[in-house]
Amino acid sequence: MAGAYGIHLGNSSACLASYSNGAASIIANDAGDRVTPAIVALNGTEWEIGLPAKSGQLSSKSIIRHNKRLMNNDFNQEDLSYVETSASCRIQNDEKVVYEFETSETTLYSNPDNIATKIYAKLFTIASHAMSNEGDLKLVLAAPLHWSNLSRERLVKCAELAGFDVLQVISEPAAALLAYNIEETSEDVNVLVYRLGGSSCDASVVKVSGGFMTIEKNVYRSDLGGQCLTKDLADFIAQEFRQKWKLDPQESRRAMAKLLIHADNCKHVLSTLNSAHVFIESLLDGVDWSQNVSRARFENVISSKISAYLEPAQKVIESFGGPIHKIVICGGSMKIPKLQAAISNLLPEAEILSGINPDEVIAAGCSREAGLLLDIPEFSLKDMNTEVEFLGKDVYLKYLDQTVQLFKEGTAPYSQHVQSIDIGDMKSISFTLHDNPDSKEFATETFNVESLTSPFTLKATLQESNILLRVE
């Protein structure tokens, strides 16, 4: 029996979720963590992925971080510089990006796709071990809204090389809404989806109406992320150390690398607890450092940055101009209570949805989509050419004696239409698609509905090259 899985691979971390019995659940890795660092390192001749790559003797490893930035076919020089700064391996960018991993034992060459495949392979192993029986691992992936189809296809190829059977790639805002079942709401709602990851941030306004999810506005920022807050906390600890020992960790690259790792761990602890203990062995010149950091102190350290993090949300809300009814927060950095409160205070009348851990939201939404694709009878009507950004003509659906306009000309891919259908005691039904109510059908399909209860719901999804119909 096939298993339904969802993965969100970010710049800083990756999360794996499964869907069964009507609910999404996060699968922990072999260290017991629900989120795996998206870091790959060559240690001697051995590849390390996730937490092993992040910890241990960093000076003996050749490490790559934020690989996802270079998986985007439209990456710019700023993205390349960002990855180069955070990596401890050489990066060549002649015709194609090539990583040079060099250790005392060997030198190996790789590229962004190979690194992504290694991370997916790690997640595939975790998913395989978690399966109670043998079967295919069916997967839905999430990609940034601004990524092109070619960039999305690269993600699919990497996941398939790792062993997954990829069903679909959906946008990150759509996955966030699916995690909370918002598309099933009976009333029209406008939703602010705010994602703050390790190194990037975006805010989207999504209009949900009758099962449709339409991205109305989006703002993306590649210069805002949780790592800015980690750096502020590391600088604060370095200042405390300097005041006591008259030694400056900021003058040592090795010391600051240690500090950043411990500051990042401290930041995550303070997202759930009121204080965190930081102990760094041999921070500088053999001197150990031990310190308690309170949440109040941390919030004071990052307070000057809060307004900058609110800017994308403010901009997209002002640009949209309409009321916002719900807020969905996602991304690992949105676990910080002060940031959650700041976003909530922007729209005090809106309902903020935070019941799912923010760094697990997108993976959970992907797994739910995978579960829907597997559990619901479906078929594809592929005779219609939609190899364009927006639909080029109206599409009508005919069944029995009914004619319904499914999609208007100009509709964006991944829009949905939900229709309630009453067929009485019939055991099968035929659907036909037309580009106007009086034209001949360009696609037709008949399928068995004997097992369904009437009335049932038909959900039509406009994909990039076909129309997907599902009944439930």
Side-chain angles (χ1 to χ4, degrees):
M1 182 177 177
Y5 294 89
I7 287 178
H8 179 229
L9 175 57
N11 288 305
S12 306
S13 63
C15 186
L16 169 69
S18 66
Y19 191 84
S20 61
N21 300 321
S25 58
I26 305 300
I27 302 176
N29 59 27
D30 44 9
D33 298 326
R34 294 163 68 89
V35 175
T36 300
I39 302 174
V40 174
L42 183 64
N43 189 0
T45 58
E46 180 183 355
W47 288 105
E48 296 178 343
I49 296 97
L51 188 60
K54 182 179 179 180
S55 57
Q57 283 295 111
L58 301 181
S59 58
S60 63
K61 302 177 184 180
S62 190
I63 303 173
I64 188 72
R65 298 179 175 87
H66 310 296
N67 178 71
K68 184 181 176 182
R69 285 198 176 219
L70 303 186
M71 289 291 293
N72 180 9
N73 280 20
D74 301 319
F75 76 84
N76 54 34
Q77 185 58 44
E78 178 186 337
D79 294 319
L80 183 63
S81 300
Y82 190 93
V83 178
E84 284 179 326
T85 302
S86 61
S88 61
C89 67
R90 294 188 181 92
I91 302 178
Q92 303 171 13
N93 184 30
D94 297 327
E95 294 183 1
K96 294 183 178 180
V97 175
V98 176
Y99 301 141
E100 182 181 333
F101 291 88
E102 184 176 358
T103 68
S104 58
E105 300 179 40
T106 186
T107 299
L108 293 177
Y109 297 89
S110 189
N111 58 47
D113 294 64
N114 291 339
I115 296 303
T117 301
K118 291 182 186 297
I119 299 173
Y120 281 126
K122 173 76 172 179
L123 298 173
F124 180 84
T125 300
I126 296 169
S128 300
H129 290 167
M131 284 193 75
S132 57
N133 49 31
E134 293 187 3
D136 295 333
L137 277 67
K138 304 290 188 177
L139 179 68
V140 169
L141 296 171
L145 190 64
H146 64 279
W147 273 26
S148 66
N149 291 337
L150 289 176
S151 301
R152 292 172 179 235
E153 288 171 6
R154 289 176 67 181
L155 279 184
V156 172
K157 289 178 182 177
C158 293
E160 290 179 340
L161 285 171
F164 288 105
D165 182 0
V166 179
L167 299 172
Q168 193 178 31
V169 181
I170 60 178
S171 70
E172 291 173 350
L177 266 63
L178 283 164
Y180 286 101
N181 300 359
I182 295 177
E183 87 289 352
E184 293 184 351
T185 184
S186 58
E187 56 193 24
D188 294 353
V189 294
N190 301 322
V191 186
L192 170 67
V193 181
Y194 182 83
R195 184 195 63 83
L196 181 62
S199 64
S200 64
C201 168
D202 59 79
S204 308
V205 172
V206 186
K207 184 176 182 179
V208 181
S209 176
F212 281 94
M213 291 191 292
T214 307
I215 308 293
E216 296 289 338
K217 300 292 179 181
N218 174 259
V219 173
Y220 171 75
R221 292 280 295 273
S222 62
D223 59 332
L224 287 177
Q227 290 201 340
C228 302
L229 307 180
T230 302
K231 179 65 165 57
D232 287 349
L233 182 56
D235 290 342
F236 165 73
I237 298 172
Q239 181 182 0
E240 297 282 295
F241 182 88
R242 184 168 57 249
Q243 288 178 351
K244 181 172 182 179
W245 295 103
K246 310 306 178 187
L247 297 170
D248 191 356
Q250 293 179 321
E251 294 178 354
S252 167
R253 183 175 179 179
R254 173 184 168 277
M256 285 307 297
K258 274 189 171 185
L259 255 179
L260 286 169
I261 291 175
H262 285 274
D264 189 56
N265 293 336
C266 178
K267 181 183 71 175
H268 287 293
V269 171
L270 291 173
S271 296
T272 54
L273 301 177
N274 288 323
S275 67
H277 183 70
V278 178
F279 176 77
I280 309 174
E281 184 178 1
S282 186
L283 174 57
L284 186 63
D285 291 351
V287 179
D288 298 339
W289 182 248
S290 179
Q291 178 183 4
N292 283 321
V293 179
S294 67
R295 179 185 289 178
R297 173 63 72 181
F298 171 61
E299 291 179 348
N300 184 59
V301 168
I302 67 172
S303 60
S304 62
K305 290 283 200 309
I306 299 299
S307 59
Y309 286 105
L310 294 179
E311 282 182 12
Q314 290 172 325
K315 185 175 180 180
V316 78
I317 292 168
E318 292 171 2
S319 178
F320 176 63
I324 302 294
H325 305 100
K326 297 179 185 289
I327 304 171
V328 175
I329 56 173
C330 50
S333 298
M334 283 310 296
K335 291 189 295 184
I336 298 173
K338 190 172 182 66
L339 286 173
Q340 290 188 15
I343 292 295
S344 180
N345 291 337
L346 266 182
L347 299 163
E349 301 299 321
E351 177 190 5
I352 185 165
L353 303 178
S354 56
I356 304 173
N357 204 328
D359 52 6
E360 301 170 1
V361 168
I362 295 176
C366 288
S367 72
R368 178 168 176 260
E369 178 70 2
L372 292 173
L373 292 173
L374 286 179
D375 291 343
I376 300 172
E378 63 180 65
F379 58 88
S380 296
L381 304 174
K382 299 183 178 180
D383 298 336
M384 180 179 157
N385 179 14
T386 55
E387 296 290 333
V388 292
E389 184 177 0
F390 297 100
L391 185 63
K393 54 187 175 182
D394 295 339
V395 175
Y396 293 85
L397 174 75
K398 288 188 177 183
Y399 64 93
L400 304 179
D401 58 349
Q402 303 292 318
T403 301
V404 178
Q405 185 178 47
L406 278 186
F407 304 108
K408 294 181 180 179
E409 179 182 352
T411 301
Y414 302 105
S415 296
Q416 292 186 331
H417 178 93
V418 177
Q419 184 76 21
S420 178
I421 298 176
D422 190 346
I423 58 171
D425 297 328
M426 295 177 62
K427 296 182 179 180
S428 66
I429 186 170
S430 294
F431 293 101
T432 58
L433 293 183
H434 308 254
D435 54 18
N436 70 65
D438 301 320
S439 69
K440 183 179 179 181
E441 71 271 9
F442 59 78
T444 183
E445 187 72 31
T446 301
F447 71 105
N448 194 318
V449 292
E450 187 174 1
S451 61
L452 299 177
T453 301
S454 183
F456 63 85
T457 298
L458 173 74
K459 183 178 288 187
T461 304
L462 177 63
Q463 299 185 317
E464 295 169 4
S465 58
N466 63 78
I467 295 175
L468 179 69
L469 301 184
R470 303 199 304 260
V471 293
E472 56 185 32

Coordinates of all heavy atoms in Angstrom, one line a residue, residues 198-232:
G198 N 14.8 30.6 7.7 CA 16.1 30.9 8.3 C 16.8 32.0 7.5 O 17.5 32.8 8.1
S199 N 16.5 32.1 6.2 CA 17.3 33.2 5.5 C 16.4 33.9 4.5 O 16.9 34.7 3.7 CB 18.4 32.5 4.7 OG 17.9 31.6 3.7
S200 N 15.1 33.7 4.5 CA 14.2 34.4 3.6 C 12.8 34.6 4.3 O 12.5 33.9 5.2 CB 14.0 33.7 2.3 OG 13.4 32.4 2.4
C201 N 12.0 35.5 3.6 CA 10.7 35.8 4.2 C 9.8 36.1 3.1 O 10.2 36.7 2.1 CB 10.9 37.0 5.2 SG 9.3 37.7 5.7
D202 N 8.5 35.7 3.2 CA 7.5 36.2 2.2 C 6.2 36.3 2.9 O 5.9 35.6 3.8 CB 7.5 35.3 0.9 CG 7.2 33.9 1.2 OD1 6.0 33.6 1.4 OD2 8.1 33.1 1.2
A203 N 5.4 37.2 2.3 CA 4.0 37.4 2.8 C 3.1 37.3 1.6 O 3.4 37.9 0.6 CB 3.9 38.7 3.5
S204 N 2.0 36.6 1.7 CA 1.0 36.5 0.6 C -0.4 36.7 1.2 O -0.7 36.3 2.3 CB 1.1 35.1 0.0 OG 2.4 34.7 -0.4
V205 N -1.2 37.3 0.3 CA -2.7 37.3 0.6 C -3.4 36.4 -0.3 O -3.2 36.5 -1.6 CB -3.2 38.8 0.5 CG1 -4.8 38.7 0.6 CG2 -2.7 39.7 1.5
V206 N -4.1 35.4 0.2 CA -4.7 34.4 -0.5 C -6.3 34.5 -0.3 O -6.7 34.6 0.8 CB -4.3 33.0 -0.1 CG1 -4.9 31.9 -1.0 CG2 -2.8 32.8 -0.1
K207 N -7.0 34.6 -1.5 CA -8.4 34.7 -1.4 C -9.0 33.3 -1.6 O -8.7 32.6 -2.5 CB -9.0 35.6 -2.5 CG -10.5 35.8 -2.4 CD -10.9 36.8 -3.5 CE -12.4 37.1 -3.4 NZ -12.9 38.1 -4.4
V208 N -9.8 32.8 -0.6 CA -10.4 31.5 -0.7 C -11.9 31.7 -0.8 O -12.6 32.3 0.0 CB -10.1 30.7 0.6 CG1 -10.7 29.3 0.6 CG2 -8.6 30.6 0.9
S209 N -12.4 31.1 -1.9 CA -13.8 31.3 -2.2 C -14.3 30.0 -2.9 O -13.9 29.7 -4.0 CB -14.1 32.5 -3.1 OG -15.4 32.6 -3.5
G210 N -15.3 29.3 -2.3 CA -15.9 28.2 -2.9 C -14.9 27.1 -3.3 O -15.0 26.4 -4.3
G211 N -13.8 26.9 -2.5 CA -12.8 26.0 -2.8 C -11.7 26.5 -3.7 O -10.6 25.9 -3.8
F212 N -11.8 27.7 -4.3 CA -10.8 28.3 -5.0 C -9.7 28.9 -4.0 O -10.1 29.5 -3.0 CB -11.3 29.5 -5.9 CG -11.9 29.0 -7.1 CD1 -13.3 28.8 -7.2 CD2 -11.1 28.8 -8.3 CE1 -13.9 28.4 -8.4 CE2 -11.7 28.4 -9.5 CZ -13.1 28.2 -9.5
M213 N -8.5 28.8 -4.4 CA -7.4 29.5 -3.6 C -6.7 30.4 -4.7 O -6.0 29.8 -5.6 CB -6.5 28.5 -3.0 CG -7.1 27.8 -1.8 SD -5.8 26.9 -0.8 CE -5.3 25.6 -2.0
T214 N -6.8 31.7 -4.5 CA -6.2 32.6 -5.5 C -5.2 33.5 -4.8 O -5.6 34.2 -3.8 CB -7.3 33.5 -6.1 OG1 -8.3 32.6 -6.7 CG2 -6.7 34.3 -7.2
I215 N -4.0 33.5 -5.2 CA -2.9 34.4 -4.7 C -3.2 35.8 -5.2 O -3.0 36.0 -6.4 CB -1.5 33.9 -5.0 CG1 -1.3 32.4 -4.7 CG2 -0.5 34.8 -4.3 CD1 -1.3 32.1 -3.2
E216 N -3.6 36.7 -4.3 CA -3.9 38.0 -4.7 C -2.6 38.9 -4.8 O -2.4 39.7 -5.7 CB -4.9 38.6 -3.8 CG -6.3 37.9 -3.8 CD -7.0 38.2 -5.1 OE1 -6.8 39.2 -5.8 OE2 -7.9 37.4 -5.5
K217 N -1.8 38.8 -3.7 CA -0.6 39.6 -3.6 C 0.5 38.8 -2.9 O 0.2 37.9 -2.1 CB -0.9 40.9 -2.8 CG -1.9 41.8 -3.3 CD -1.5 42.5 -4.6 CE -2.6 43.4 -5.2 NZ -2.2 44.0 -6.5
N218 N 1.7 39.1 -3.3 CA 2.8 38.4 -2.7 C 4.1 39.4 -2.6 O 4.3 40.1 -3.6 CB 3.2 37.2 -3.5 CG 4.5 36.5 -2.9 OD1 5.5 36.6 -3.5 ND2 4.3 35.7 -1.9
V219 N 4.8 39.3 -1.5 CA 6.0 40.0 -1.3 C 7.1 39.1 -0.8 O 6.8 38.3 0.1 CB 5.9 41.2 -0.3 CG1 7.2 41.8 0.0 CG2 4.9 42.3 -0.8
Y220 N 8.2 39.0 -1.5 CA 9.3 38.1 -1.2 C 10.5 38.9 -0.8 O 10.9 39.8 -1.5 CB 9.6 37.1 -2.3 CG 10.8 36.3 -2.1 CD1 10.8 35.2 -1.2 CD2 12.0 36.6 -2.8 CE1 12.0 34.4 -1.0 CE2 13.1 35.8 -2.6 CZ 13.1 34.7 -1.7 OH 14.2 34.0 -1.5
R221 N 11.2 38.5 0.3 CA 12.4 39.2 0.7 C 13.5 38.1 0.9 O 13.3 37.2 1.7 CB 12.2 40.0 2.0 CG 11.3 41.2 1.8 CD 12.0 42.4 1.2 NE 13.1 42.8 2.1 CZ 12.9 43.7 3.1 NH1 11.7 44.2 3.3 NH2 13.9 44.1 3.8
S222 N 14.6 38.2 0.3 CA 15.7 37.3 0.5 C 16.7 37.8 1.5 O 17.7 37.1 1.8 CB 16.4 37.0 -0.9 OG 17.0 38.2 -1.4
D223 N 16.5 38.9 2.0 CA 17.5 39.5 3.0 C 17.0 39.5 4.4 O 17.6 40.0 5.3 CB 17.8 41.0 2.6 CG 16.5 41.9 2.6 OD1 15.4 41.3 2.3 OD2 16.7 43.1 2.8
L224 N 15.8 38.9 4.6 CA 15.2 38.8 6.0 C 15.1 37.3 6.3 O 14.6 36.5 5.5 CB 13.9 39.5 6.1 CG 13.8 41.0 6.0 CD1 12.4 41.4 6.1 CD2 14.6 41.6 7.2
G225 N 15.6 37.0 7.5 CA 15.4 35.6 8.0 C 15.8 35.5 9.4 O 16.4 36.4 10.0
G226 N 15.6 34.3 10.0 CA 15.9 34.1 11.4 C 17.4 34.1 11.7 O 17.8 34.3 12.8
Q227 N 18.2 33.9 10.6 CA 19.7 34.0 10.9 C 20.1 35.4 11.3 O 21.2 35.5 12.0 CB 20.4 33.5 9.7 CG 20.2 32.0 9.4 CD 21.3 31.4 8.5 OE1 22.0 32.1 7.8 NE2 21.4 30.1 8.6
C228 N 19.4 36.4 10.9 CA 19.7 37.7 11.4 C 19.6 37.8 12.9 O 20.4 38.5 13.6 CB 18.8 38.8 10.7 SG 18.9 38.8 8.9
L229 N 18.5 37.2 13.4 CA 18.3 37.2 14.9 C 19.3 36.3 15.6 O 19.8 36.7 16.7 CB 16.9 36.7 15.2 CG 15.7 37.4 14.4 CD1 14.4 36.8 14.8 CD2 15.8 38.9 14.7
T230 N 19.7 35.2 15.0 CA 20.8 34.4 15.5 C 22.1 35.1 15.6 O 22.8 35.1 16.6 CB 21.0 33.1 14.7 OG1 19.7 32.4 14.6 CG2 22.0 32.2 15.3
K231 N 22.4 35.9 14.6 CA 23.6 36.7 14.6 C 23.6 37.8 15.7 O 24.6 38.0 16.4 CB 23.7 37.4 13.2 CG 25.0 38.3 13.1 CD 26.3 37.5 13.2 CE 27.5 38.3 12.7 NZ 27.7 39.6 13.3
D232 N 22.4 38.4 15.9 CA 22.3 39.4 17.0 C 22.5 38.8 18.3 O 23.2 39.3 19.2 CB 20.9 40.1 16.9 CG 20.7 41.0 15.8 OD1 21.7 41.3 15.1 OD2 19.6 41.4 15.5

